[in-house]
Amino acid sequence: MIIVQPVLEAHPSDGFSLWPVAEAESYDHLPLSGGLSPAEVGTAVMSLAACNDVDPPAGAPPRPADPVAAFLHGLLTMDDLFAAGGLRVTDTATGIVLLPGCCIGLEDWRNWSLALDGGPAPFSYDFGHDPSPTVERVGETVRLTVDGEQDDSPVIEVTAAELRHLLAGAEKDLTGFLNQVSGWAARELPGHATSIVAAVSRALDIPPRREPLA
């Protein structure tokens, strides 16, 4: 069976005390879905904020003095947000796992659809480096190469129709995660809740749900 999961590169949680978080090590990949615990949602929001924790450019509003607002400042004010991570593909039959490469963010997850529709066959798309995963479509077969820089790299093959279905599932997971962020932010950071949900929505290229949560 082939499994596609949206994953976020977790920021180390050691010493973090602005809100409850789950334990995480550097470069851990946290799968995002509607089934995360509140502490895991806290880790995800922490990691997204850490990815975008940069000093404001000249002419931009200064970083606030409040510790929570200061840590969230980049996430809530930057136009272009980066979410370190991507889509993780696992072939449970062979044990082969394709991980997102460096310098590709989860905000680019829709580019997987471009690998299906963006050009004439054969068509390929690169998803970062170290490793350098590639997606190539030839006819109705999609080849997912774990590291395109290696001649003997493991490969996962899937039909284009199945991959479309799996990408729809990944979008559903991201929507479920965003809905969880909405409830989490209302409880943990009510003064920033609306801004946090809007920022996570932009960072993951997922529209927020329109109806209020029950």
Side-chain angles (χ1 to χ4, degrees):
M1 182 172 67
I2 307 296
I3 300 172
V4 174
Q5 297 170 296
V7 295
L8 186 69
E9 189 176 296
H11 189 76
S13 56
D14 295 344
F16 186 84
S17 60
L18 296 179
W19 56 76
V21 295
E23 292 187 8
E25 302 293 336
S26 295
Y27 305 113
D28 278 354
H29 284 103
L30 175 64
L32 302 184
S33 73
L36 298 186
S37 69
E40 289 172 327
V41 176
T43 295
V45 175
M46 174 193 68
S47 301
L48 284 168
C51 277
N52 299 280
D53 186 20
V54 297
D55 291 329
R63 189 185 294 267
D66 173 71
V68 172
F71 181 63
L72 292 172
H73 187 66
L75 178 65
L76 302 187
T77 61
M78 290 176 59
D79 291 331
D80 296 321
L81 297 174
F82 178 65
L87 296 184
R88 179 173 67 191
V89 184
T90 304
D91 185 337
T92 60
T94 63
I96 296 173
V97 179
L98 182 145
L99 294 172
C102 180
C103 300
I104 289 291
L106 187 48
E107 71 277 6
D108 293 327
W109 69 271
R110 292 187 189 274
N111 286 344
W112 280 72
S113 294
L114 296 180
L116 290 174
D117 302 323
F123 181 83
S124 64
Y125 200 97
D126 298 329
F127 287 91
H129 58 88
D130 297 328
S132 301
T134 63
V135 177
E136 178 183 20
R137 176 175 178 177
V138 180
E140 291 305 310
T141 298
V142 181
R143 290 173 55 85
L144 312 177
T145 302
V146 172
D147 190 345
E149 299 294 324
Q150 297 183 4
D151 293 336
D152 59 347
S153 172
V155 172
I156 298 172
E157 290 194 348
V158 61
T159 67
E162 183 179 2
L163 184 55
R164 290 186 199 280
H165 175 73
L166 293 169
L167 292 176
E171 181 172 10
K172 184 177 180 180
D173 284 339
L174 288 171
T175 299
F177 168 69
L178 182 61
N179 292 340
Q180 275 205 315
V181 170
S182 181
W184 175 90
R187 294 189 303 271
E188 296 291 341
L189 301 171
H192 301 284
T194 299
S195 297
I196 288 173
V197 173
V200 174
S201 173
R202 289 192 298 114
L204 302 181
D205 193 14
I206 289 290
R209 63 188 293 170
R210 298 183 182 277
E211 69 273 15
L213 291 172

